[in-house]
Amino acid sequence: MPAFRMKKIVLDAGHGGSDPGNIGSKVREKDINLAVTLLVGKYLKENMPDVEVIYTRDDDSFPTLKQRPNIANINKADLFVSIHSNSAPNKSAFGTETFVMGTKHFEANFDIVKRENSVILLEENYAEEYEGFDPTSPESYMLFNLTQKAYIGNSITLADHIETQFRDRVGRKSRGVKQGPFYVLWTPSMPSVLVELGFLSNIEEEKFLMSQAGKEYMASAIYRSIKAYKEQIEGN
């Protein structure tokens, strides 16, 4: 067997267009997500020219939740990274977290899973398109159990790199690597993660993510994580 080489990465800026995502006091999630995603792509292109970078969106458009992983599958990508910003009713909540596909501690993470998956409800014909999947119903998530098992190990490896970079190099509070049945992580045929950059509901964290330096720090941490992941799996 020829040695594995990571050749294509799909970067997914969460939300967009008619879907603003979470709304902070001064900024919309879709704008933070896009800015950081484009910076990650820029650093990858500059420093890893042997890797092709594909965006699910590079402007203020609204790819559906189904189209995003489909772009990765159609392009036979080796990695799928979805970038988001968090929110919580508790304004003091802060920190980063990176999710892989899974149902461990599902109840604890249900609010965030439901919020991200409920984007489906903004789409036309969503009931037909998603075959009756209801993002607000816990029962709908039972069918998520049997997928992504083949990629869970590598997904966790990348997620660990990301959270370590956020904590040790950027000095952010890391809430750790978690599992959640997110629709965008369900169908990619490759290792996949969903990154939460921080809480826009927290004034200080929103301020950090709105700053150019904050965006650059977070993007460079994700870039370094992908680089370390690539070196690790190609070395094996």
Side-chain angles (χ1 to χ4, degrees):
M1 289 288 290
F4 174 79
R5 289 287 176 264
M6 196 171 79
K7 296 174 183 172
K8 289 183 189 176
I9 297 174
V10 169
L11 299 178
D12 172 45
H15 306 280
S18 59
D19 170 27
N22 295 314
I23 307 220
S25 62
K26 295 180 178 174
V27 74
R28 299 171 300 187
E29 179 190 355
K30 67 175 184 175
D31 300 323
I32 296 290
N33 298 347
L34 180 61
V36 172
T37 299
L38 292 176
L39 280 171
V40 175
K42 176 176 177 279
Y43 298 149
L44 285 167
K45 289 173 183 178
E46 287 173 353
N47 298 289
M48 295 166 63
D50 56 324
V51 175
E52 182 183 354
V53 175
I54 300 162
Y55 299 107
T56 59
R57 70 179 182 100
D58 57 9
D59 56 18
D60 189 24
S61 54
F62 176 54
T64 68
L65 225 50
K66 203 169 199 175
Q67 286 168 340
R68 295 169 190 265
N70 274 354
I71 289 168
N73 289 337
I74 289 165
N75 284 283
K76 294 184 169 57
D78 300 303
L79 202 60
F80 179 82
V81 179
S82 189
I83 296 175
H84 292 253
S85 307
N86 223 331
S87 183
N90 177 2
K91 304 292 187 201
S92 64
F94 73 104
T96 66
E97 47 195 15
T98 301
F99 286 87
V100 300
M101 180 67 204
T103 53
K104 194 176 178 183
H105 306 307
F106 173 55
E107 293 79 10
N109 298 323
F110 184 54
D111 281 348
I112 182 173
V113 168
K114 182 170 63 175
R115 189 166 64 243
E116 296 292 6
N117 286 339
S118 290
V119 172
I120 286 169
L121 306 178
L122 299 176
E123 300 173 25
E124 290 181 26
N125 304 323
Y126 70 86
E128 184 180 325
E129 188 68 17
Y130 294 90
E131 298 168 346
F133 171 70
D134 178 0
T136 64
S137 164
E139 289 74 29
S140 276
Y141 290 90
M142 305 205 31
L143 56 109
F144 277 62
N145 245 338
L146 301 173
T147 59
Q148 278 286 322
K149 289 273 172 72
Y151 309 109
I152 187 79
N154 281 357
S155 299
I156 290 172
T157 296
L158 174 60
D160 273 331
H161 281 303
I162 292 171
E163 287 302 311
T164 300
Q165 285 284 340
F166 285 161
R167 184 186 67 236
D168 296 350
R169 295 289 294 272
V170 192
R172 309 308 293 168
K173 172 185 164 65
S174 170
R175 297 163 66 95
V177 174
K178 301 181 177 180
Q179 291 188 14
F182 295 93
Y183 199 93
V184 291
L185 298 183
W186 185 32
T187 51
S189 301
M190 70 226 50
S192 311
V193 298
L194 186 146
V195 182
E196 293 284 359
L197 299 168
F199 286 80
L200 299 182
S201 47
N202 181 298
I203 296 289
E204 287 305 310
E205 202 149 47
E206 178 191 35
K207 189 174 167 186
F208 173 75
L209 291 172
M210 283 176 66
S211 72
Q212 188 57 29
K215 294 187 190 83
E216 288 172 2
Y217 281 137
M218 299 304 278
S220 60
I222 296 170
Y223 150 70
R224 285 193 300 268
S225 304
I226 292 171
K227 185 171 184 286
Y229 168 83
K230 180 178 189 291
E231 289 167 357
Q232 184 176 343
I233 59 167
E234 290 184 352
N236 291 340

